[in-house]
Amino acid sequence: MGSAVLLVDDERFARTVYSDYLRSAGYEVEVAEGFESALVLLATRKFDVLLTDVILPGSRDGLALMDAAKGLDPNIGVIVITALDKVDPAVRAMRSGASDYLVKPVTPEALQLAVQRCLATRALLSENQVLRSHLKLFEAGQRIASSLEREHLVPTALAAVAQELESPAAALFERTAEGAWLPTGAHGMAGEEPRELLERCRGTLEGLDAYGAALTAVRLPGSTEKGANHAALLTVVNDGALLGAVAVRVSGESRPEAAMGAAFLCRHLALALANLGRLRQVENLAYLDDLTHLYNVRYLDLALDRAISGNRPFTVLFMDLDRFKSVNDQHGHLSGSTLLVEVARVLRSCVRDEDVVVRYGGDEYVCLLDGIDSGGGLKVAERIRRAIEDHRYLSREGARVRV
């Protein structure tokens, strides 16, 4: 079916002739003779073009009709028709948003050309609007993907996804290494709302995978909130791995273009979360000793700053191995390195998980015991000394060294 045109003219002859012109060109045409009848048609159906005479019967003219039509549909194209001595109102109409004006008598060719130009302009404006929305979506995705601070990333991403689906609230659920789902961020929610939404979506969450649908609609069980009885679950996937899901409260089925935009943003969220994971891995490597995989001096500086600024007692044990040089001289440097790794394991077994064990350098080690005073520190130090002394090192190499 062709584009819809509303033709408004108080002259019956003009309505008949112009409507015949347009119908022969393939347009769908409705006619009205004045402001009131035209407004009824504009309110009941959608038109692509309004073609109206400037002078209409009654107190409301074509300019008033154009304003009313634009109020109902800002994207409607408007062409005004005027007599030769009424050009000034047509010019004012152009300044107010009309696409074109025609001077009577109007030929079929001029009428069709004006309508074609109006439709082409309307299509171009619509395309520009779509491009602007796509650009806005792309810029939002770029902001999300480039964020390296989780505290900023998650709220920004959830707000953008919720806005795309025209929702006030969204939550991020992430899956642990053991497969458990946890709420790890929220937008437009407070208190226990994210956890409650997780429980109501749990059945669907358990069935998600990296290669399934990007968006799954969920009917929320036991929902009593008006307009919030559904959720859209969007997977957060990177490199074939399901990192989590974003749950967005919605009132019903999402528009396809909105669903595509939200999925696009979730892909950028997945990329950012993966980058954060890689960044944490790099940071961890920067704080680990290459040989023993204990913490290094850089991490000790951070741990000491944290302990000093706290309000709990702590103890620092500084230790080194006696006559380690003789091990290197007798068994070789590779065996000496193996012994240092074994010492690290013994040290780790003598303290709690929350204590910091550091290879300070060479054969020197440091233990930072949080919440332990000097008396408790002495006991731990003696336990370490005995464990080191009792252990036989390089047993696999057949040396059974004691230090």
Side-chain angles (χ1 to χ4, degrees), residues 285-322:
L285 289 175
Y287 292 130
L288 293 180
D289 175 60
D290 291 340
L291 177 64
T292 62
H293 291 174
L294 297 177
Y295 288 115
N296 58 24
V297 176
R298 283 191 293 272
Y299 188 82
L300 178 62
D301 289 339
L302 298 177
L304 283 171
D305 286 341
R306 190 164 58 236
I308 291 169
S309 63
N311 58 0
R312 287 158 52 89
F314 66 93
T315 295
V316 178
L317 306 180
F318 190 92
M319 303 162 281
D320 72 333
L321 302 178
D322 290 343

Side-chain angles (χ1 to χ4, degrees), residues 108-303:
E109 294 78 11
L111 184 61
Q112 291 180 27
L113 184 60
V115 173
Q116 288 172 3
R117 281 200 303 264
C118 181
L119 290 170
T121 302
R122 187 172 181 272
L124 184 60
L125 291 174
S126 177
E127 184 177 332
N128 286 343
Q129 188 174 358
V130 171
L131 288 174
R132 283 196 296 271
S133 66
H134 286 176
L135 180 60
K136 185 178 179 181
L137 189 65
F138 175 77
E139 289 173 345
Q142 289 295 99
R143 286 194 297 271
I144 292 169
S146 61
S147 178
L148 290 177
E149 296 179 7
R150 186 183 174 93
E151 294 75 13
H152 173 73
L153 163 66
V154 174
T156 299
L158 292 179
V161 174
Q163 182 179 16
E164 193 66 20
L165 293 179
E166 300 176 349
S167 170
L172 174 63
F173 306 142
E174 291 183 78
R175 197 162 59 173
T176 66
E178 295 75 27
W181 287 94
L182 296 173
T184 56
H187 165 75
M189 296 185 187
E192 291 297 308
E193 286 185 86
R195 190 170 295 279
E196 290 170 2
L197 183 58
L198 168 63
E199 292 305 320
R200 293 160 72 184
C201 294
R202 184 174 294 280
T204 307
L205 282 169
E206 299 297 347
L208 295 180
D209 63 67
Y211 301 99
L215 185 149
T216 304
V218 182
R219 172 77 181 184
L220 298 177
S223 180
T224 59
E225 302 158 52
K226 185 178 180 182
N229 57 338
H230 290 79
L233 271 182
L234 297 118
T235 55
V236 180
V237 176
N238 184 72
D239 285 342
L242 180 64
L243 305 182
V246 173
V248 184
R249 290 189 184 278
V250 292
S251 56
E253 189 173 343
S254 304
R255 292 180 294 109
E257 60 271 22
M260 289 177 62
F264 173 82
L265 293 173
C266 283
R267 290 196 294 273
H268 283 74
L269 171 59
L271 178 62
L273 289 174
N275 287 339
L276 282 177
R278 285 189 282 269
L279 181 63
R280 281 196 298 270
Q281 290 175 352
V282 171
E283 289 176 342
N284 288 341
L285 289 175
Y287 292 130
L288 293 180
D289 175 60
D290 291 340
L291 177 64
T292 62
H293 291 174
L294 297 177
Y295 288 115
N296 58 24
V297 176
R298 283 191 293 272
Y299 188 82
L300 178 62
D301 289 339
L302 298 177

Side-chain angles (χ1 to χ4, degrees), residues 86-127:
K86 303 290 183 182
V87 171
D88 285 348
V91 173
R92 290 202 307 273
M94 293 283 289
R95 289 173 177 167
S96 299
S99 300
D100 206 345
Y101 75 92
L102 300 171
V103 178
K104 291 181 178 180
V106 181
T107 64
E109 294 78 11
L111 184 61
Q112 291 180 27
L113 184 60
V115 173
Q116 288 172 3
R117 281 200 303 264
C118 181
L119 290 170
T121 302
R122 187 172 181 272
L124 184 60
L125 291 174
S126 177
E127 184 177 332

Side-chain angles (χ1 to χ4, degrees), residues 35 39 54 59-69:
F35 181 92
L39 196 59
V54 171
S59 61
R60 312 295 294 276
D61 60 9
L63 302 187
L65 180 60
M66 182 187 76
D67 291 341

